[in-house]
């Protein structure tokens, strides 16, 4: 009698504040969905929707429905819901057989506490991972960009996600120098929402703020930039629907303080680069990855600020997942770090 043994494929799990992506060995990214859970009341037994289906219900569900974002600023803040969400995504990616135990490469911000790190590892253990390799997001992003991270030369990457910005100098298969701040795309959106609330007395959804960010012609404040956007939201005073005309130059000005924090993080790393690798950065430049990397003219702003060439990576929003996926494709080469101690 033939005995069939199911072997789970190695996978990479990129848990982001806004989106979670699952890479399956030899298949690529098979899941890319919002990191959101909708539940009725408390507890994991009352889950209504996860990911894409949950996103569709936001703003269209009754008041007793709870919208949960299990991650904030790149780290897990609701462990129970994060576990439910990750299990759902992994099951969607590789199936639901209870005896399937994948080897997992999981991404994580560079500067997290031991408790935050352990929460991610525990979540992977709960889904049945038989081996876990933790990789810093910046290294995975550099690898996914196609930079020569295993060569004896410096590669400089700035990964601007939803919750964190990871700045790192990578060389010889590791991170030489890095800095992580919990300021990224979401903080930019919040700055836009705050400006609209203060200056126009209008409340807008996260989607509206994000769209305004993407519609900017230039993140730098240019006096001659007179484009006007029509913004729809809710009047703070009356609660009634409201439409206002908003100067995009003023929107650019509103996010400058947030962008200044990202520039400061880049400056912190640039100012500490070893002399042996400095010439590599001057020659090859800085590479931007992450969902907010394509913010209009952000590359020009950084280049002009530091006098270094700046490029936006191809498929910038997926670089971290692709880099972690490359590691999943070569899991046997990851060595003794494959239990999550790294």
């Amino acid at each position: 009698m033939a005995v069939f043994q199911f072997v789970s494929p190695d996978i990479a799990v990129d848990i982001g504040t806004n989106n979670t992506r699952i890479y399956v060995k030899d298949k690529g990214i098979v899941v890319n969905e919002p990191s959101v859970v909708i539940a009725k009341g408390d507890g994991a037994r009352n889950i209504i929707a996860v990911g894409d289906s949950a996103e569709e219900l936001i703003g269209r569900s009754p008041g007793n429905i709870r919208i949960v974002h299990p991650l904030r600023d790149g780290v897990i803040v609701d462990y129970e819901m994060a576990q439910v969400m990750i299990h759902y995504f992994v099951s969607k990616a590789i199936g639901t057989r209870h005896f399937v135990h994948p080897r997992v490469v999981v991404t994580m911000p560079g500067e997290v506490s031991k408790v935050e790190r352990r929460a991610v590892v525990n979540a992977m253990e709960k889904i049945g991972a038989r081996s876990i390799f933790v990789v810093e997001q910046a290294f995975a992003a550099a690898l996914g960009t196609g930079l020569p991270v295993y060569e004896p030369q410096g590669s400089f990457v700035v990964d601007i996600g939803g919750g964190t910005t990871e700045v790192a100098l990578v060389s010889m298969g590791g991170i030489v120098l890095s800095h992580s701040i919990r300021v990224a795309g979401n903080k930019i959106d919040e700055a836009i929402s705050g400006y609209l609330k203060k200056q126009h007395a209008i409340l807008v959804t996260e989607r509206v703020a994000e769209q305004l960010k993407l519609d900017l012609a230039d993140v730098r404040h240019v006096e001659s930039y007179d484009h006007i956007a029509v913004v729809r939201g809710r009047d703070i005073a009356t609660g009634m629907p409201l439409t206002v005309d908003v100067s995009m130059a003023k929107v650019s000005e509103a996010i400058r303080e947030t962008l200044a924090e990202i520039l400061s993080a880049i400056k912190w790393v640039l100012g500490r680069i070893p002399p042996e690798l400095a010439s590599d950065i001057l020659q090859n430049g800085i590479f931007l990855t992450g969902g907010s990397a394509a913010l209009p003219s952000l590359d020009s702003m950084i280049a002009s600020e530091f006098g270094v060439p700046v490029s936006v990576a191809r498929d910038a929003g997926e670089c971290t997942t692709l880099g972690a996926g490359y590691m999943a494709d070569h899991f046997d080469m990851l060595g003794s770090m494959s239990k999550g101690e790294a």
Side-chain angles (χ1 to χ4, degrees):
M1 181 177 179
V3 177
F4 296 95
Q5 182 177 6
F6 293 96
V7 178
S8 175
D10 298 331
I11 66 173
V13 181
D14 181 16
I15 319 168
T17 303
N18 293 345
N19 285 81
T20 295
R21 298 177 177 90
I22 309 291
Y23 178 106
V24 176
K25 183 177 181 178
D26 298 328
K27 291 184 179 180
I29 298 173
V30 298
V31 171
N32 180 2
E33 299 192 24
S35 301
V36 61
V37 179
I38 288 186
K40 189 173 183 179
D42 297 325
R45 295 183 179 181
N46 299 308
I47 302 299
I48 295 175
V50 179
D52 283 337
S53 56
E55 180 84 356
E56 293 174 359
L57 295 177
I58 294 177
R60 297 176 173 85
S61 51
N64 62 335
I65 298 300
R66 192 161 62 103
I67 301 169
V68 182
H69 297 276
L71 282 85
R72 184 182 304 124
D73 299 336
V75 297
I76 293 175
V77 293
D78 188 324
Y79 176 76
E80 184 179 30
M81 289 301 179
Q83 182 185 327
V84 169
M85 181 185 75
I86 295 167
H87 185 274
Y88 172 84
F89 289 145
V90 171
S91 296
K92 191 171 184 177
I94 64 174
T96 57
R97 301 184 186 95
H98 68 278
F99 44 84
V100 172
H101 299 288
R103 295 190 298 183
V104 178
V105 175
V106 59
T107 64
M108 196 176 299
E111 296 175 13
V112 295
S113 68
K114 290 183 179 179
V115 172
E116 291 166 338
R117 180 187 181 89
R118 190 64 218 171
V120 174
V121 174
N122 284 344
M124 294 302 106
E125 291 173 343
K126 288 292 185 180
I127 66 169
R130 71 180 189 273
S131 193
I132 303 163
F133 183 94
V134 177
V135 58
E136 287 191 27
Q137 289 172 356
F139 183 86
L143 181 59
T145 303
L147 296 175
V149 297
Y150 295 107
E151 300 298 323
Q153 68 179 71
S155 296
F156 198 103
V157 64
V158 179
D159 183 52
I160 311 172
T164 65
T165 294
E166 309 288 322
V167 186
L169 174 65
V170 180
S171 181
M172 294 288 290
I175 291 181
V176 178
L177 190 64
S178 69
H179 188 38
S180 174
I181 60 170
R182 297 186 181 186
V183 176
N186 290 353
K187 291 289 192 233
I188 297 173
D189 297 344
E190 290 171 13
I192 293 172
S193 297
Y195 161 76
L196 294 173
K197 182 178 179 180
K198 182 178 181 180
Q199 298 298 324
H200 296 277
I202 186 173
L203 294 175
V204 299
T205 65
E206 294 175 359
R207 291 179 184 175
V208 169
E210 182 180 17
Q211 192 58 53
L212 278 173
K213 174 181 69 178
L214 298 176
D215 287 345
L216 286 170
D218 198 325
V219 296
R220 298 166 297 184
H221 178 49
V222 181
E223 293 295 340
S224 60
Y225 176 37
D226 58 0
H227 178 61
I228 300 297
V230 177
V231 176
R232 295 175 177 84
R234 185 161 57 88
D235 189 302
I236 292 177
T238 66
M240 298 296 289
L242 178 65
T243 300
V244 298
D245 294 335
V246 175
S247 163
M248 294 299 273
K250 294 296 185 181
V251 173
S252 292
E253 187 175 5
I255 68 175
R256 284 187 67 81
E257 185 175 337
T258 305
L259 293 179
E261 294 187 63
I262 295 174
L263 292 176
S264 293
I266 298 172
K267 183 178 181 179
W268 190 93
V269 177
L270 281 174
R272 291 165 174 78
I273 292 178
E276 297 81 4
L277 298 175
S279 61
D280 295 333
I281 308 309
L282 288 171
Q283 178 178 345
N284 301 322
I286 294 171
F287 290 84
L288 304 183
T289 66
S292 295
L295 193 63
S297 297
L298 178 61
D299 53 346
S300 299
M301 172 184 276
I302 296 172
S304 105
E305 180 76 16
F306 301 113
V308 177
V310 179
S311 303
V312 179
R314 182 180 178 182
D315 300 321
E318 297 181 345
C319 287
T320 301
T321 315
L322 293 172
Y326 177 88
M327 300 176 84
D329 284 341
H330 301 84
F331 205 102
D332 290 330
M333 299 175 62
L334 300 182
S336 62
M337 296 169 66
S338 61
K339 294 297 182 182
E341 299 93 351

